[in-house]
């Protein structure tokens, strides 16, 4: 909303108006504890066809747990009327569940993408900051929501106003849609060693079929002992410990955000048995995979 408010102020006229819609018209408690008061319920808005030019679905926490057929039906009805439909952070997950992203490029917060890819394998899902594809707009959330809104303002009102809005929020470099969501491996692990970075990248690409240490060392042109020394000196842990952590973190996302069984989750993360997976998972998180299934995740910034 804030970029639209600023656009109105800077243009000196009312270019944009907005309302808050919740499934039942009641307040919605955000993941940071703030309650958002709704102006309407979904059914009330549905009774006024053509009233909305765009609908943006905001969601954090665990959008996979949201079950409301009436809301999904309302979103589909708005889309059928030609309303632009947008998703912010986990809102993209909600749109996918409503069947509104088939045939469109789309994105979501990076933490939701693995689960979305598992649950909706035919989606054209990217890791971009945002995607604007015809009448669908999706954003990774956080500051990416600002970048997407600036792009929408520029398309409708021109570059000068969009840049003025960016400066209003001290956002001196609006980012392109296809810029990455996450820090580079170099920044994330605070290392510039090329061989170590190459191995870390390969590990993140090979979660379902983990590569043995010997293969990782061969890809880096090093011996296993040399590679182990690199991991210990730069990351403070062994190759196996780091790889196991990556796989278990991925498993936690799948358990919380998809209907995959514990066994299917284990297989998707490269474990040969559910028993080994459960032991490793419980040792890392202090909860069994069954206890963690469907458990709310930490709220993600929706923008």
């Amino acid at each position: 909303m804030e970029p639209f408010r600023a656009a109105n102020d800077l243009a000196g006229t009312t270019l944009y108006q907005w309302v808050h819609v919740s499934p039942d018209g009641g307040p919605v408690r955000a993941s940071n504890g703030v309650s958002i008061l709704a102006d309407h319920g979904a059914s009330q808005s549905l009774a006024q066809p053509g009233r909305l030019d765009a609908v943006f679905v905001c969601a954090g926490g665990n959008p996979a747990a949201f079950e409301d057929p009436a809301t999904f039906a309302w979103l589909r009805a708005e889309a059928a009327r030609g309303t632009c439909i947008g998703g912010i952070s986990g809102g993209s997950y909600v749109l996918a569940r409503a069947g509104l992203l088939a045939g469109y490029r789309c994105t979501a917060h990076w933490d939701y993408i693995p689960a979305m890819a598992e649950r909706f394998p035919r989606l054209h899902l990217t890791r971009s900051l945002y995607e604007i594809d015809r009448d669908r707009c999706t954003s990774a959330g956080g500051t990416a929501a600002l970048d997407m809104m600036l792009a929408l303002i520029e398309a409708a009102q021109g570059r000068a106003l969009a840049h003025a809005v960016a400066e209003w929020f001290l956002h001196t470099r609006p980012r392109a849609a296809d810029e990455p969501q996450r820090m580079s491996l170099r920044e994330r692990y605070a290392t510039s060693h090329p061989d170590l970075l190459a191995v870390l990248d390969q590990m993140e690409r090979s979660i379902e079929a983990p590569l043995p240490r010997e293969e990782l060392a061969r890809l880096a042109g090093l011996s296993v002992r040399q590679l182990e020394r690199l991991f210990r000196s730069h990351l403070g842990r062994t190759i196996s410990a780091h790889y196991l952590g990556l796989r278990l973190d991925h498993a936690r996302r799948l358990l919380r955000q998809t209907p995959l069984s514990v066994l299917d989750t284990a297989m998707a993360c490269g474990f040969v048995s559910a028993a080994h997976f459960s032991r490793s998972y419980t040792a890392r998180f202090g909860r069994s995979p069954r206890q963690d299934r469907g458990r709310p995740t930490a709220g993600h910034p929706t923008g």
Side-chain angles (χ1 to χ4, degrees), residues 178-211:
D178 60 357
E179 292 191 40
Q181 295 184 22
R182 303 194 69 183
M183 294 179 179
S184 68
L185 292 174
R186 181 187 301 268
E187 295 167 320
R188 207 183 314 159
Y189 293 107
T191 180
S192 58
H193 196 290
D195 294 330
L196 179 58
L197 290 172
V199 170
L200 289 169
D201 178 63
Q202 189 59 55
M203 283 178 158
E204 294 198 356
R205 294 172 183 271
S206 307
I207 296 293
E208 188 169 349
L211 299 175

Side-chain angles (χ1 to χ4, degrees), residues 16-303:
Y16 298 97
Q17 294 178 295
W18 51 87
V19 295
H20 293 93
V21 178
S22 69
D24 60 2
V28 177
R29 188 177 177 84
S31 53
N32 64 0
V34 174
S35 290
I36 307 297
L37 298 180
D39 300 292
H40 302 282
S43 60
Q44 294 169 307
S45 295
L46 187 59
Q48 304 177 49
R51 180 165 184 237
L52 302 174
D53 298 306
V55 173
F56 293 96
V57 178
C58 299
N62 186 5
F66 178 73
E67 290 287 351
D68 192 338
T71 296
F72 296 149
W74 174 70
L75 289 169
R76 287 191 290 267
E78 286 293 335
R81 293 190 180 101
T83 304
C84 176
I85 304 294
I88 309 295
S89 189
S92 301
Y93 204 131
V94 175
L95 297 185
R97 296 191 63 206
L100 292 173
L101 294 181
Y104 292 88
R105 291 191 320 278
C106 59
T107 191
H109 189 281
W110 60 264
D111 195 42
Y112 296 129
I113 286 178
M116 286 183 67
E118 285 282 347
R119 188 161 185 179
F120 309 104
R122 295 190 177 186
L123 279 187
H124 187 175
L125 188 60
T126 76
R127 294 180 178 269
S128 301
L129 289 176
Y130 64 90
E131 291 285 354
I132 300 174
D133 186 356
R134 292 160 287 167
D135 56 358
R136 296 290 185 276
C137 306
T138 50
S139 158
T143 56
L146 174 56
D147 290 297
M148 185 173 79
M149 295 309 178
L150 291 172
L152 293 173
I153 291 170
E154 180 174 340
Q157 312 296 339
R159 177 170 295 183
L161 182 58
H163 283 188
V165 171
E167 288 192 319
W168 186 275
F169 292 106
L170 311 183
H171 195 56
T172 56
R173 191 185 72 83
R175 295 171 295 177
D178 60 357
E179 292 191 40
Q181 295 184 22
R182 303 194 69 183
M183 294 179 179
S184 68
L185 292 174
R186 181 187 301 268
E187 295 167 320
R188 207 183 314 159
Y189 293 107
T191 180
S192 58
H193 196 290
D195 294 330
L196 179 58
L197 290 172
V199 170
L200 289 169
D201 178 63
Q202 189 59 55
M203 283 178 158
E204 294 198 356
R205 294 172 183 271
S206 307
I207 296 293
E208 188 169 349
L211 299 175
R213 293 186 311 161
E214 292 76 13
E215 178 63 14
L216 292 170
R218 187 191 67 79
L219 290 171
L222 301 171
S223 69
V224 172
R225 180 175 295 182
Q226 288 172 319
L227 187 58
E228 284 285 10
R229 281 202 298 265
L230 277 179
F231 268 79
R232 288 186 179 277
S233 62
H234 288 264
L235 304 183
R237 51 189 172 272
T238 64
I239 298 170
S240 298
H242 182 76
Y243 215 162
L244 179 61
L246 290 177
R247 293 158 58 205
L248 290 171
D249 287 345
H250 183 67
R252 196 178 209 188
R253 296 185 191 104
L254 296 183
L255 282 171
R256 291 181 168 186
Q257 300 171 17
T258 73
L260 288 177
S261 68
V262 172
L263 178 58
D264 287 340
T265 300
M267 294 178 64
C269 299
F271 290 88
V272 296
S273 75
H276 177 217
F277 169 60
S278 294
R279 287 194 302 271
S280 300
Y281 192 97
T282 304
R284 180 172 175 82
F285 298 117
R287 299 175 61 87
S288 72
R290 296 190 186 281
Q291 289 175 317
D292 240 1
R293 169 172 296 289
R295 186 176 171 86
T297 58
H300 295 291
T302 54

